[in-house]
Amino acid sequence: MDYRDLTILYEDNHVLVAVKPQGVPSQSDVSGDDDMLGLLKSYVKDKYSKPGNVYLGLVHRLDRPTGGVMVFARTSKAAARLGEQIREGAFGKKYLAVLTARPGEKRARLVHYLMKDSSTNTVRVVPMTTDGAKKAVLDYNVLESREEEGIYLADVKLYTGRSHQIRVQMATIGCPIYGDVRYGRNQPYGHLALWSYDLSFMHPTTGKRMIFRVFPPEEYPWNAFNMERCIGIVRPSE
C-alpha cells in the first residue's frame, strides 16, 4: 500500500486526520504489513521534505478489521494534550455497526468487564471481580432496520477503548456484527461491518472543537441503509 491511497481529511502543524482503510493496522505489528502510522510518516516526510526521522504521534487506535477516521499528532505537545482529552472523556468516538440480530432494546447502555487472551488475540466477558478485568462501557442506538435481510444499523458511542470492545459487547447480548467470524456464528466472510464514522476533539492549540464524519464503504451491507439520513451528512458528489 502507498500513502497516496489514503484519504487525508485535515492537516496543520499540530494534527493530521485521515481515514484508515479496513484491514490496515493502526501501527506496525508482527505481520510486517504497511500500517497507518508508517504510511503517514512517509506522507509527511515527502510532502514537507523533512530530513531524518519524522515525528507523528499515535493518539488512539482502531482494530485492524475496523476502518474509519483517526487523528494523529504532529508534535509531542499535541500528542500529550490529545491524550489528556482521552483520559478526561473529552475525546468523542462514534461507530456504525451492522448487527445481525435485533437488540431487545432500541437503545441502551452496555457495561461489561473484559479480559484479553493475548495468545489467541481474543477477548471475553468475565465477572467484575476477575483479576485484570477491565470495565467496558458503550451506548448503542438502532438507527435503521432491514427486517427482511436480518440486519440492523446501530450507532455506537464508546466511553472506554478496550480491544475488540464493540464486537464482544454486541455479541454478548446476542447481536454479533455482520462479518465478525471471530465473535459471531455463521457470519459471511468479508469486511467486518464496523466503522469509525465520527471523531471529535478540541484542537490542541486553538481549543476549537473539531468534528469529522466519514461515510463507510459503498458496499453491502452498508448500502442497504440510508446512510446520509443516519449520520447527518451529505455524500460528496463525484
Side-chain angles (χ1 to χ4, degrees):
M1 185 177 214
D2 189 274
Y3 66 72
R4 296 174 184 84
D5 299 319
L6 298 177
T7 299
I8 308 297
L9 299 175
Y10 176 84
E11 62 180 302
D12 60 22
N13 292 331
H14 310 280
V15 297
L16 176 60
V17 182
V19 179
K20 184 182 93 64
Q22 291 178 290
V24 175
S26 293
Q27 64 182 133
S28 61
D29 59 19
V30 294
S31 71
D33 294 340
D34 290 330
D35 63 278
M36 284 296 288
L37 187 60
L39 289 166
L40 289 173
K41 281 184 177 182
S42 296
Y43 165 76
V44 172
K45 185 178 180 66
D46 288 357
K47 181 173 181 178
Y48 300 102
S49 301
K50 295 277 189 178
N53 293 327
V54 170
Y55 177 85
L56 197 65
L58 184 71
V59 177
H60 63 118
R61 296 172 178 81
L62 292 178
D63 290 339
R64 182 168 183 154
T66 306
V69 60
M70 295 183 69
V71 59
F72 298 81
R74 292 200 54 197
T75 67
S76 57
K77 181 179 289 188
R81 290 178 176 175
L82 290 171
E84 184 178 1
Q85 290 182 44
I86 292 175
R87 291 188 294 274
E88 294 178 349
F91 190 91
K93 293 184 288 184
K94 291 183 180 181
Y95 295 73
L96 292 172
V98 178
L99 311 177
T100 53
R102 175 190 286 277
E105 299 176 82
K106 183 179 183 297
R107 62 172 66 200
R109 173 164 293 183
L110 301 182
V111 180
H112 296 98
Y113 287 82
L114 306 182
M115 178 77 75
K116 183 172 183 177
D117 183 341
S118 298
S119 64
T120 60
N121 193 30
T122 56
V123 178
R124 70 184 191 279
V125 172
V126 297
M128 178 178 64
T129 54
T130 304
D131 186 38
K134 294 184 177 180
K135 188 177 183 180
V137 184
L138 64 77
D139 289 341
Y140 75 81
N141 176 29
V142 178
L143 302 175
E144 273 192 12
S145 302
R146 293 290 178 265
E147 294 284 357
E148 67 281 2
E149 299 176 54
I151 54 175
Y152 308 86
L153 181 67
D155 179 295
V156 181
K157 182 177 181 180
L158 279 184
Y159 294 97
T160 53
R162 310 305 180 198
S163 182
H164 299 185
Q165 179 180 338
I166 299 174
R167 298 164 66 183
V168 175
Q169 289 194 271
M170 298 313 300
T172 297
I173 65 167
C175 303
I177 295 174
Y178 184 97
D180 193 348
V181 296
R182 178 167 296 183
Y183 297 106
R185 294 181 179 179
N186 302 317
Q187 292 296 312
Y189 283 91
H191 285 146
L192 177 74
L194 181 61
W195 185 261
S196 172
Y197 83 96
D198 185 299
L199 184 69
S200 60
F201 57 90
M202 305 299 289
H203 191 280
T205 58
T206 68
K208 178 183 177 182
R209 190 71 178 171
M210 310 286 285
I211 302 174
F212 299 91
R213 286 186 172 182
V214 294
F215 284 96
E218 291 190 71
E219 61 185 32
Y220 192 84
W222 301 113
N223 57 14
F225 303 97
N226 185 333
M227 207 58 65
E228 291 189 354
R229 181 176 64 201
C230 288
I231 66 178
I233 59 175
V234 176
R235 192 180 295 277
S237 56
E238 295 295 336

